[in-house]
Amino acid sequence: MVRKLIAPIVIVALLLLYLIGFIVILFLVPELPFAVKLIGILIPLATAACAVAVLVSRIREIRSGAEDDLDRY
């Protein structure tokens, strides 16, 4: 069961690192207006929150034994 959890966790961790890097780069560009920086921060944060929520849902599915979503339909 632990082997099935590795891939989703690694993918979400890589996505979070990418989004954090994007936010850091936004702070390093001094010419950008504040509104652009704010939007550029809010969108990646919302994406990260959704990714973590989906990861938690996937971990619950794997632990409950429902490895495939097709059994719901």
Side-chain angles (χ1 to χ4, degrees), residues 28-42:
L28 295 177
V29 179
E31 303 91 33
L32 286 178
F34 178 74
V36 173
K37 287 184 180 183
L38 185 64
I39 291 171
I41 291 169
L42 290 178

Side-chain angles (χ1 to χ4, degrees), residues 1 4-5 56-72:
M1 179 168 61
K4 294 176 184 176
L5 293 174
V56 169
S57 172
R58 182 66 181 145
I59 289 172
R60 287 182 183 156
E61 285 178 5
I62 291 172
R63 287 189 177 162
S64 72
E67 297 176 20
D68 197 0
D69 289 340
L70 294 177
D71 60 350
R72 294 184 186 173

Side-chain angles (χ1 to χ4, degrees), residues 3 5-6 9 15 17-18 21-22 27 31 48 54 58 62 65:
R3 296 183 84 195
L5 293 174
I6 294 173
I9 292 172
L15 178 65
L17 286 174
Y18 173 76
F22 182 78
F27 275 113
E31 303 91 33
V54 168
R58 182 66 181 145
I62 291 172

Side-chain angles (χ1 to χ4, degrees), residues 16-30:
L16 292 177
L17 286 174
Y18 173 76
L19 293 172
I20 290 170
F22 182 78
I23 291 172
V24 168
I25 288 174
L26 278 178
F27 275 113
L28 295 177
V29 179

